[in-house]
């Protein structure tokens, strides 16, 4: 699991990109975050004229052993497989947002506790029928974790070969906010009590119970490194997200980071290779409690704040029009010279 991820730092290109942005027919800085996006994607693609090609959302689905007890989740484990069928039938929010914004959508069985028919068009990358319950034993073995990295890497490699250069990730897995909370605490050292949220809709008593259980789980283990922490606390979908993010950065893709669960996978990925952050655009601020502190830890500001906490990659999908707009203004908006307008501007 070695990834050759280069820093995007290139002072000469950065100066050219900034000059190109500044010379557009507008006051300097007037397009705000769109200017930052255009600059970043230019740096990622190492060009003054970046493009968005075949943008794709990949949703990884997996089940969690702790969900079988129903103590940290208000919905039964079976909802994971039911939602995968909903994705395939086109009925979920991510389907609507993907079709609205003309995105390629891929659904991956990372480890759902259900056998899907081969004819559905789901990408079968199943590691096992759900993870183990980390109240009793590590969620997965190190070998399974490595297998998840390899399989998600293969998926991203295929998309790269098909021409995708912009990719967002989503997830589905009942109880995966619990796994994400444990990973968040491990990597940020923020106490469990400040990371636990309502997930799929726990009430106040449910959140306190979830906090108690996850605190006990966290104290049970002492992971030595990022991979061991992921194997103990993670889910198969989170492990695949981590591997997919790293592989996408290796291919110099623009990576759209969704909400709480995907950011937990990014916490693992950046612990493995810090350069991965150079390729990430943070799509939105999730309304799940811990996400704000994740973003603070990473020192990142998201594009959108819509009070979403759905997952599925919905925030990433909704950010695509802004990504396209940023690249298009950089490439197509007139400069003062080309428009015959004086460069002397006033705010």
């Amino acid at each position: 699991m070695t990834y050759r991820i280069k820093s995007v730092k290139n002072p000469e290109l950065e100066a050219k990109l900034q000059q190109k942005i500044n010379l557009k027919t507008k006051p300097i800085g007037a397009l705000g975050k769109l200017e930052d996006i255009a600059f970043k994607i230019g740096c990622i693609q190492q060009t003054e004229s970046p493009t968005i090609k075949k943008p794709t959302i990949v949703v990884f689905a997996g089940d969690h052993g702790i969900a079988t007890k129903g103590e940290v989740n208000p919905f039964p484990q079976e909802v994971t497989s039911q939602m995968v069928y909903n994705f395939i039938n086109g009925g979920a929010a991510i389907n609507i947002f993907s079709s609205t914004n003309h995105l390629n959508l891929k659904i991956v069985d990372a480890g759902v506790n259900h056998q899907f028919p081969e004819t559905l068009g789901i990408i079968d990358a199943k590691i096992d029928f759900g993870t183990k319950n980390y109240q009793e034993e590590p969620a997965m073995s190190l070998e399974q974790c490595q297998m998840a990295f390899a399989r998600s890497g293969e998926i991203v490699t295929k998309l790269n070969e098909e021409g995708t250069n912009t990719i967002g990730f989503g997830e589905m897995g009942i109880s995966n906010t619990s796994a994400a909370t444990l990973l968040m605490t491990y990597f940020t050292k923020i106490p469990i009590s400040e990371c636990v949220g309502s997930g799929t809709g726990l009430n106040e008593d449910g959140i306190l119970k979830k906090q108690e259980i996850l605190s006990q789980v966290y104290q049970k283990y002492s992971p030595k490194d990022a991979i061991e922490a992921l194997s103990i606390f993670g889910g198969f979908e989170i492990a695949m997200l981590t591997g997919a993010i790293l592989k996408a950065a290796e291919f110099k893709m623009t990576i759209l980071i969704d909400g709480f669960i995907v950011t937990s996978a990014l916490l693992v990925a950046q612990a493995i290779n810090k350069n991965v952050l150079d390729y990430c655009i943070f799509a939105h601020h999730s309304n799940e409690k811990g996400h704000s502190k994740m973003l603070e830890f990473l020192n990142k500001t998201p594009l959108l704040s819509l009070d979403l906490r759905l997952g599925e990659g919905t925030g990433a999908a909704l950010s695509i029009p802004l990504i396209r707009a940023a690249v298009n203004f950089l490439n197509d908006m007139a400069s003062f010279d080309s428009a015959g307008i004086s460069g002397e501007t006033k705010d």
Side-chain angles (χ1 to χ4, degrees), residues 13 47 104 143 157 189 328:
L13 173 65
T47 177
N104 188 23
E143 291 75 17
T157 298
K189 307 310 177 190
N328 289 346

Side-chain angles (χ1 to χ4, degrees), residues 32-70:
K33 289 183 180 178
L34 290 181
E35 297 188 19
D36 298 337
I37 298 167
F39 181 87
K40 178 147 193 169
I41 297 176
C43 290
I44 289 171
Q45 296 184 11
Q46 293 290 288
T47 177
E48 294 175 61
S49 302
T51 58
I52 303 300
K53 297 179 180 178
K54 297 186 177 180
T56 299
I57 302 292
V58 184
V59 179
F60 296 95
D63 273 312
H64 295 252
I66 196 173
T68 58
K69 288 193 172 183

Side-chain angles (χ1 to χ4, degrees), residues 42-152:
C43 290
I44 289 171
Q45 296 184 11
Q46 293 290 288
T47 177
E48 294 175 61
S49 302
T51 58
I52 303 300
K53 297 179 180 178
K54 297 186 177 180
T56 299
I57 302 292
V58 184
V59 179
F60 296 95
D63 273 312
H64 295 252
I66 196 173
T68 58
K69 288 193 172 183
E71 296 177 317
V72 297
N73 44 284
F75 291 98
Q77 189 185 66
E78 291 77 12
V79 170
T80 302
S81 59
Q82 292 166 1
M83 279 301 300
V84 171
Y85 280 112
N86 194 29
F87 297 150
I88 295 303
N89 292 330
I94 188 58
N95 298 101
I96 307 308
F97 298 157
S98 294
S99 61
T100 297
N101 294 322
H102 309 290
L103 306 177
N104 188 23
L105 177 63
K106 301 291 186 182
I107 309 300
V108 180
D109 177 7
V112 181
N113 189 19
H114 179 80
Q115 188 63 59
F116 296 101
E118 294 180 4
T119 55
L120 288 184
I122 298 170
I123 298 174
D124 182 6
K126 189 190 294 288
I127 304 298
D128 202 348
F129 288 86
T131 57
K132 306 295 185 184
N133 184 353
Y134 42 56
Q135 289 175 283
E136 302 161 359
E137 58 185 309
M140 69 189 84
S141 67
L142 289 172
E143 291 75 17
Q144 287 178 318
C145 189
Q146 291 165 348
M147 190 183 301
F149 274 50
R151 291 185 180 177
S152 63

Side-chain angles (χ1 to χ4, degrees), residues 31 37 63 99 132 143 174 187 199 202 243-244 256 258 270 304:
L31 285 178
I37 298 167
D63 273 312
S99 61
K132 306 295 185 184
E143 291 75 17
I174 293 299
F187 288 103
L202 288 172
L256 307 178
D258 193 55
Q270 62 87 37
L304 302 170

Side-chain angles (χ1 to χ4, degrees), residues 7 24 35 50 65 161 174 191 210-211 227 237 250 260 294 305 308 316 336-337 345:
S7 170
K24 296 296 183 181
E35 297 188 19
E161 291 170 350
I174 293 299
K210 180 178 177 181
Q211 177 182 319
I227 299 298
E237 83 280 28
E250 189 174 60
F260 186 60
M294 282 179 168
S305 184
L308 307 177
F336 285 107
D337 282 347
T345 62

